[in-house]
């Protein structure tokens, strides 16, 4: 802890991790809660991703988890041969379990439309997701 001019305590961070830009900052973290998606995920396939039909809203709501039928914080697998809907790790963790059993690592949040790579353990963004973003905007 340090003190500022008003003698009010301030905190400094001792966290230091080498980021992808080679310096000692984590370039994917901004402030206490904001996350900048990783732009260079090596697991994104060289194809244009599309929104699976399983991810389409039902009566204005996101589709339920295929296992527990939870209807909030669900994710859709973006593997080209799969389109399973699974709940988040903050619910019953069915999308995480799907990754662990299938190896399908890229998924899309149906709550906030963020993309995630389980192999990188990071939110990601890539130009190959542009079609998905366009489809989400038209819902």
């Amino acid at each position: 802890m340090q003190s500022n001019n008003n003698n009010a305590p301030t905190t400094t961070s001792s966290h230091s991790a080498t980021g992808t830009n080679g310096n000692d900052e984590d370039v994917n973290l901004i402030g206490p809660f904001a996350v900048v998606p990783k732009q260079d995920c090596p697991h994104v396939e060289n194809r244009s991703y599309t929104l699976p039909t399983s991810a389409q809203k039902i009566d204005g709501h996101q589709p339920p988890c295929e296992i527990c039928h939870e209807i909030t914080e669900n994710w859709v697998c973006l593997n080209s041969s799969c389109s399973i809907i699974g709940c988040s790790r903050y619910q019953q963790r069915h999308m995480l379990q799907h990754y662990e059993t299938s190896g399908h690592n890229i998924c899309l949040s149906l709550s906030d439309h963020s993309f995630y790579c389980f192999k990188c353990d990071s939110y990601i963004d890539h130009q190959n997701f542009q079609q998905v973003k366009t489809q989400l905007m038209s819902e």
Side-chain angles (χ1 to χ4, degrees), residues 5 8 12-13 35 41 51 60 64 80 83 91-93 101 117 128:
N5 291 341
T12 58
S13 174
V35 175
C41 172
L51 186 65
S80 61
S83 59
Q91 302 295 326
Q92 300 293 318
R93 301 180 177 179
T101 59
C117 175
N128 292 0

Side-chain angles (χ1 to χ4, degrees), residues 9-116:
T10 59
T11 59
T12 58
S13 174
S14 61
H15 172 72
S16 177
T18 302
T20 57
N21 63 1
N23 62 23
D24 287 340
E25 306 177 351
D26 186 341
V27 296
N28 294 325
L29 297 177
I30 297 176
F33 302 108
V35 175
V36 175
K38 181 177 179 168
Q39 301 289 318
D40 60 349
C41 172
H43 308 107
V44 175
E45 297 174 12
N46 188 22
R47 65 180 176 90
S48 179
Y49 286 74
T50 58
L51 186 65
T53 56
S54 64
Q56 293 177 353
K57 290 183 178 181
I58 301 169
D59 295 327
H61 301 284
Q62 61 182 264
C65 172
E66 294 180 18
I67 299 167
C68 70
H69 308 289
E70 175 64 47
I71 59 170
T72 58
E73 293 193 41
N74 290 333
W75 295 75
V76 62
C77 179
L78 293 179
N79 183 282
S80 61
S81 63
C82 184
S83 59
I84 189 170
I85 304 291
C87 60
S88 82
R89 56 186 151 190
Y90 303 109
Q91 302 295 326
Q92 300 293 318
R93 301 180 177 179
H94 290 128
M95 185 52 71
L96 176 60
Q97 291 171 5
H98 174 68
Y99 159 68
E100 290 170 342
T101 59
S102 69
H104 299 170
N105 55 300
I106 306 287
C107 58
L108 167 70
S109 167
L110 299 175
S111 298
D112 66 8
H113 300 162
S114 58
F115 297 87
Y116 193 82

